[in-house]
Amino acid sequence: NIMMNRSNLITDEVGQFLENHNLPKLTQEETDNMNRLISIKEIESIINKHLKQKAPGSDGLTREFYQTFKEQLYQFFVISFKR
C-alpha cells in the first residue's frame, strides 16, 4: 500500500531527526499534565482573566462574545479539548 509505505517513511524520517538532535524531553509529570482533561474551571479562568484587553483572534471573535456565550461554550470547549 503506497499510503502506508509513505506514512512509515515519514515516521522513520521524523524518528531519525529526533534521534540526531539533543532535544529536551518532558518528565512523566509534565506528560501526565499535558494529557489530562481540561476542566470547565480552567476554561472559565481563561475567558474571565486571560482574554482581557486582547484583540480578536484569527476567528474574529472578541472577549465580549466569549463572555456573552460562556455558559454555552464551556461544555463545547471541554469536549473539543479531549484527546
Side-chain angles (χ1 to χ4, degrees):
N1 182 324
I2 293 174
M3 291 300 285
M4 286 297 291
N5 290 339
R6 179 157 173 77
S7 176
N8 289 341
L9 179 63
I10 291 170
T11 301
D12 291 343
E13 289 175 1
V14 169
Q16 288 175 357
F17 174 85
L18 293 174
E19 285 178 16
N20 292 333
H21 294 80
N22 189 19
L23 301 174
K25 294 188 176 17
L26 294 175
T27 65
Q28 187 60 47
E29 182 180 351
E30 291 167 327
T31 301
D32 292 344
N33 191 39
M34 295 295 291
N35 289 326
R36 70 177 174 72
L37 295 178
I38 295 174
S39 71
I40 289 177
K41 197 168 228 153
E42 288 173 298
I43 293 168
E44 184 177 14
S45 173
I46 291 167
I47 290 173
N48 289 331
K49 295 178 186 170
H50 301 289
L51 292 180
K52 287 183 179 172
Q53 314 248 330
K54 297 278 183 173
S58 60
D59 59 8
L61 300 176
T62 63
R63 177 179 184 267
E64 289 75 26
F65 170 85
Y66 288 101
Q67 283 290 337
T68 301
F69 297 104
K70 65 183 176 183
E71 296 298 324
Q72 295 88 341
L73 291 170
Y74 288 158
Q75 200 60 37
F76 169 77
F77 285 128
V78 169
I79 292 168
S80 296
F81 291 115
K82 284 185 179 177
R83 292 183 356 121

